Amino acid sequence: MATRYIYRIDDEDEKKVLKTRCRPAKLPDSSLKRLIADMYETMHAANGVGLAAPQIGLSIRLAVVWTPPEVETLEDGSEVEIAPERSYTLINPRIVKMSNEEIIRQEGCLSLPGWYGDVPRATWVTIEYQDLNGKTLRLRKADGLLGWAIQHEVDHLDGILFTERIRDISTLRDMSKEMSVEKPQTVQV
Ligand code: NI
């Protein structure tokens, strides 16, 4: 496995790649295995919860999403895991249904490290995607961090950046210094 370079929104040439609508992956394709492993490694190394193929320069409809385990603190101060971490390898994902309600939350992107802005997203989405064998899978009503990350990644595959989803552009700011001491409250995808 190898960590790949992550393309940046603030680089003119790299932005062109990020703005390109990706082509579907032709399945089955066992050569994608290595690429997917690299994408997980790159995402984790950058402390992200999602990474799309165009972010490493490949215009393929492929993204990985990872959400951390949910932890609850007990009265004695010890922590207990109440939900496991989850990983999804999304090949040719498409949103087939989404909620009417939206939620606005602070969103960032590994292609613009440190910057966050308020982005409206559907509160949940149902998606269909394929596995490496080309089998179609359905994920129903993904919400919370998972649903939000999926919408961000599907946008990447369509060449849409989170900065374009921000309604109030004054909310976009560099928070890298503010978050350097404490544990980040927000995540990047
Ligand atoms: Ni992103």
Side-chain angles (χ1 to χ4, degrees):
M1 293 204 298
T3 303
R4 306 282 190 108
Y5 173 77
I6 300 177
Y7 282 43
R8 295 184 60 120
I9 293 171
D10 53 3
D11 177 282
E12 210 178 303
D13 291 333
E14 293 172 13
K15 188 179 180 178
K16 278 180 197 155
V17 177
L18 291 168
K19 286 296 298 163
T20 302
R21 192 181 159 84
C22 299
R23 60 179 163 76
K26 284 188 189 126
L27 299 167
D29 181 355
S30 58
S31 74
L32 289 179
K33 268 186 196 166
R34 194 195 178 95
L35 170 61
I36 290 164
D38 284 357
M39 287 175 68
Y40 275 108
E41 189 176 332
T42 304
M43 174 183 67
H44 288 309
N47 292 316
V49 298
L51 186 75
Q55 290 182 280
I56 55 167
L58 300 167
S59 299
I60 308 168
R61 300 191 80 80
L62 164 66
V64 295
V65 172
W66 172 83
T67 56
E70 284 177 50
V71 174
E72 212 168 74
T73 306
L74 303 179
E75 281 177 21
D76 64 3
S78 64
E79 291 187 334
V80 62
E81 187 177 303
I82 56 168
E85 62 177 347
R86 287 189 285 178
S87 294
Y88 291 94
T89 302
L90 307 174
I91 306 176
N92 300 326
R94 58 190 191 95
I95 294 170
V96 294
K97 210 172 177 184
M98 61 165 68
S99 67
N100 292 322
E101 310 87 64
E102 64 176 30
I103 183 167
I104 293 176
R105 58 185 296 174
Q106 208 166 50
E107 186 167 317
C109 180
L110 293 176
S111 292
L112 196 62
W115 287 77
Y116 293 86
D118 291 349
V119 176
R121 299 280 184 193
T123 54
W124 59 261
V125 288
T126 291
I127 59 162
E128 278 184 5
Y129 61 100
Q130 288 175 289
D131 67 11
L132 275 172
N133 299 317
K135 185 181 167 192
T136 298
L137 304 166
R138 179 176 274 238
L139 175 61
R140 281 180 209 280
K141 291 200 171 180
D143 62 1
L145 180 59
L146 178 63
W148 162 70
I150 287 171
Q151 291 174 73
H152 182 108
E153 300 315 329
V154 171
D155 266 358
H156 269 304
L157 303 183
D158 290 329
I160 299 167
L161 304 171
F162 84 106
T163 45
E164 298 168 63
R165 294 282 190 196
I166 297 172
R167 272 188 208 135
D168 177 1
I169 201 67
S170 72
T171 63
L172 181 66
R173 60 198 178 105
D174 182 359
M175 292 177 65
S176 52
K177 289 188 183 71
E178 298 167 46
M179 295 194 304
S180 59
V181 183
E182 286 174 36
K183 203 176 165 187
Q185 294 299 303
T186 46
V187 283
Q188 301 182 118
V189 275

